[in-house]
Amino acid sequence: MKKIFQNVLYLSLIMILMGCSPEQKSESSGSSGSSGTDSGQDYGNGDGGTDSGSGSGSSSSTNNCTGTTSDGTGDGTPIHQFNLFLAGHQTWVPGNYDFNNQLISQTMITPQEASILFSSDSKLKIRFKINSQPFPTAGEEYCYGRNTGQSADQYTYTKLRFRVSLRDILCDQPNANNPTQCDSGFYLGNPYRSQYVSPVSVDSCSNVIDVGSIRNASIYGTTVQVDDVKADSTCQANDTYCPAEKIVRAASCWHMTMQVSTDYTQSFK
């Protein structure tokens, strides 16, 4: 019965992910939780990705990536897609939030849902499509956690640089007879294996990040955290070199699509 319930819940979540509108392609989450440690290493140059990478945090590049389910190929369900639509200084990470707020419910998943959607025995690969910076209406929250008391950026970003960390999914109350089953109390461990993704241009995709071989062996799975999102917005007025080295302001939004490929989904093209 447990296996049947998990399969039904898994398929239900897949249908939700596939049925949302472009700015709500799937549920994702944001918070201002812990952000891990920067190891000083980048995950490639962000001009595309392919599913051929292997080894510790490996990545490789290809010429295109749409940021949609058409990027998947082979057997399995379509690759998972999560809509990361948050304000500057906010962190995307599964968590137990107040889902009565419509804005939050459109952009978050719980740790229990993450344990299903990120579930995989071996293959666990992620990729990010950078979307255009939204321009919020004055006085409206618009994206999760936005500070409405300030004006938005004068110039929208053309590229983003950000940090990706792994988080183990843990259980507060495992089943006494079957420790692999969590009766209640899913939560996340501390961030680890934190790495920066080099600047990725708008409408482009990062390299594929293979985390299948570098994650901890957690019974309930491993998910990811995205934080420290930096942009080139503040230097758009200059005609000189303009790196993505300023964290997105709390009054502004950042927007990207995270794709996830597991044992149960298609592979990246």
Side-chain angles (χ1 to χ4, degrees):
M1 288 296 294
K2 173 177 176 288
K3 187 67 175 178
I4 295 174
F5 174 76
Q6 287 181 327
N7 289 338
V8 171
L9 182 57
Y10 180 85
L11 292 174
S12 299
L13 288 171
I14 297 301
M15 293 176 66
I16 292 173
L17 292 175
M18 295 178 63
C20 296
S21 61
E23 278 202 354
Q24 301 168 4
K25 289 178 182 175
S26 74
E27 297 176 344
S28 58
S29 71
S31 78
S32 54
S34 57
S35 58
T37 303
D38 174 23
S39 66
Q41 178 180 349
D42 282 352
Y43 277 136
N45 58 14
D47 58 358
T50 180
D51 199 22
S52 62
S54 62
S56 178
S58 64
S59 61
S60 52
S61 62
T62 188
N63 293 325
N64 56 56
C65 161
T66 66
T68 68
T69 54
S70 65
D71 291 329
T73 184
D75 297 331
T77 61
I79 54 177
H80 299 322
Q81 301 213 131
F82 299 85
N83 187 49
L84 281 59
F85 187 50
L86 296 87
H89 297 269
Q90 297 295 328
T91 297
W92 189 96
V93 65
N96 297 307
Y97 303 97
D98 181 5
F99 289 93
N100 291 326
N101 184 308
Q102 184 178 6
L103 179 64
I104 298 177
S105 67
Q106 293 171 353
T107 59
M108 296 187 179
I109 61 174
T110 66
Q112 183 176 8
E113 290 170 333
S115 72
I116 297 172
L117 294 172
F118 285 83
S119 174
S120 186
D121 293 330
S122 57
K123 183 176 68 175
L124 184 56
K125 302 183 180 184
I126 56 177
R127 179 169 60 190
F128 298 87
K129 168 71 179 294
I130 305 303
N131 301 312
S132 299
Q133 182 174 3
F135 196 78
T137 302
E140 293 185 4
E141 185 177 11
Y142 199 71
C143 58
Y144 173 70
R146 177 174 176 260
N147 186 334
T148 59
Q150 304 176 38
S151 60
D153 291 324
Q154 181 179 2
Y155 298 92
T156 56
Y157 60 68
T158 66
K159 52 192 172 184
L160 293 178
R161 183 173 185 255
F162 49 97
R163 181 166 52 188
V164 177
S165 305
L166 300 182
R167 302 285 296 267
D168 293 332
I169 302 171
L170 305 173
C171 177
D172 186 49
Q173 297 182 20
N175 185 280
N177 298 319
N178 182 7
T180 63
Q181 177 180 331
C182 181
D183 288 342
S184 64
F186 283 94
Y187 68 99
L188 301 184
N190 293 327
Y192 65 98
R193 292 283 187 177
S194 300
Q195 300 282 345
Y196 271 103
V197 174
S198 296
V200 183
S201 298
V202 170
D203 295 329
S204 297
C205 287
S206 73
N207 291 329
V208 171
I209 304 170
D210 184 352
V211 300
S213 62
I214 64 174
R215 56 182 168 162
N216 294 335
S218 175
I219 296 176
Y220 308 102
T222 304
T223 187
V224 300
Q225 170 180 291
V226 180
D227 74 335
D228 201 20
V229 181
K230 298 179 179 180
D232 62 344
S233 304
T234 58
C235 59
Q236 288 298 305
N238 301 324
D239 293 328
T240 57
Y241 175 63
C242 190
E245 288 297 338
K246 295 291 185 181
I247 193 167
V248 177
R249 297 169 57 246
S252 301
C253 303
W254 57 270
H255 189 198
M256 62 180 81
T257 300
M258 179 173 66
Q259 301 177 318
V260 179
S261 177
T262 73
D263 288 346
Y264 307 104
T265 73
Q266 296 178 336
S267 297
F268 290 123
K269 288 183 179 178

